[in-house]
Amino acid sequence: QGTVFSGSVMADCKDIAAEYLLQQELFILKLDRDYWGEVRSFINSDFDERELILLCRQLTVMIKSGIPLGNAFQLISQTRKKSNNKNKKDRLTDVLKKILTGLESGSSFSHVLSEAGEGIFPKTMIASIAAGEASGMLDEVLEKETASLSKRYQSKNKFKTAMIYPLFLLCTSIA
């Protein structure tokens, strides 16, 4: 129709992004990789990773104690509702509702995470959970993934802290 759109698409590579845009019946004029966008998404995320780590820890403890997965998510959802402010609307609470609905419909946990996660849960975590479900060792897999998420969060915070001084020097030298 001659209308020019501009924007960004999250994809693993340019080919996947191009395929997605073509499926949307868009003609591509220019497609570039946004390296700074990757850095921004690494530093700033739209949800609190500490909440995700806490969720995984709670889930691990509940599964190790023999609580079924659906009941564990119901308990976690109820405690989140009580602890959150009514004005505060966070993304993880919405995802928990979707996960609970998917589990109640009979889908596998890994499938529900990939559908409802919307970028919150890393793909490697979802693949590990699928393997844990198949092998019957979901509790051990969740424990390892929780440790991995925790290490990633700590390294991200160290990176942010380490970048403060060089950025200060850069701004001072430019000024």
Side-chain angles (χ1 to χ4, degrees):
Q1 294 177 349
T3 307
V4 178
F5 295 99
S6 177
S8 62
V9 174
M10 292 282 287
D12 291 335
C13 65
K14 278 186 174 182
D15 295 335
I16 294 173
E19 184 178 322
Y20 172 77
L21 293 171
L22 291 173
Q23 287 175 354
Q24 302 298 317
E25 298 179 1
L26 296 172
F27 182 73
I28 302 168
L29 298 174
K30 184 178 179 183
L31 183 63
D32 290 324
R33 185 173 183 175
D34 183 14
Y35 294 100
W36 287 109
E38 293 175 15
V39 172
R40 281 191 301 273
S41 68
F42 178 74
I43 293 174
N44 300 321
S45 59
D46 55 351
F47 71 97
D48 192 0
E49 279 185 280
R50 294 174 296 178
E51 298 249 353
L52 180 61
I53 293 168
L54 178 64
L55 168 74
C56 290
R57 283 190 181 137
Q58 289 173 335
L59 194 58
T60 301
V61 168
M62 289 185 190
I63 289 176
K64 279 189 170 198
S65 65
I67 297 175
L69 202 55
N71 293 351
F73 271 103
Q74 282 180 334
L75 290 170
I76 292 170
S77 295
Q78 289 171 356
T79 57
R80 285 186 61 80
K81 285 178 189 174
K82 290 178 185 175
S83 65
N84 280 345
N85 296 342
K86 292 189 179 183
N87 299 333
K88 183 181 174 187
K89 174 107 169 134
D90 69 316
R91 188 171 168 197
L92 199 55
T93 302
D94 294 337
V95 170
L96 282 176
K97 289 177 189 173
K98 290 179 185 176
I99 290 171
L100 191 56
T101 304
L103 288 174
E104 288 172 350
S105 71
S107 297
S108 70
F109 183 42
S110 57
H111 178 71
V112 170
L113 284 183
S114 63
E115 295 274 320
E118 301 166 3
I120 289 181
F121 301 99
K123 291 179 182 179
T124 55
M125 180 180 179
I126 295 170
S128 297
I129 288 174
E133 282 179 311
S135 66
M137 301 175 71
L138 185 60
D139 55 343
E140 293 177 21
V141 169
L142 275 173
E143 191 171 4
K144 289 180 183 177
E145 287 300 320
T146 303
S148 173
L149 285 173
S150 185
K151 285 180 185 175
R152 179 180 172 194
Y153 177 74
Q154 289 171 354
S155 66
K156 188 184 285 190
N157 279 346
K158 286 181 184 177
F159 176 76
K160 286 180 185 179
T161 304
M163 291 306 296
I164 290 173
Y165 184 67
L167 288 174
F168 174 73
L169 289 177
L170 178 68
C171 292
T172 305
S173 64
I174 289 173

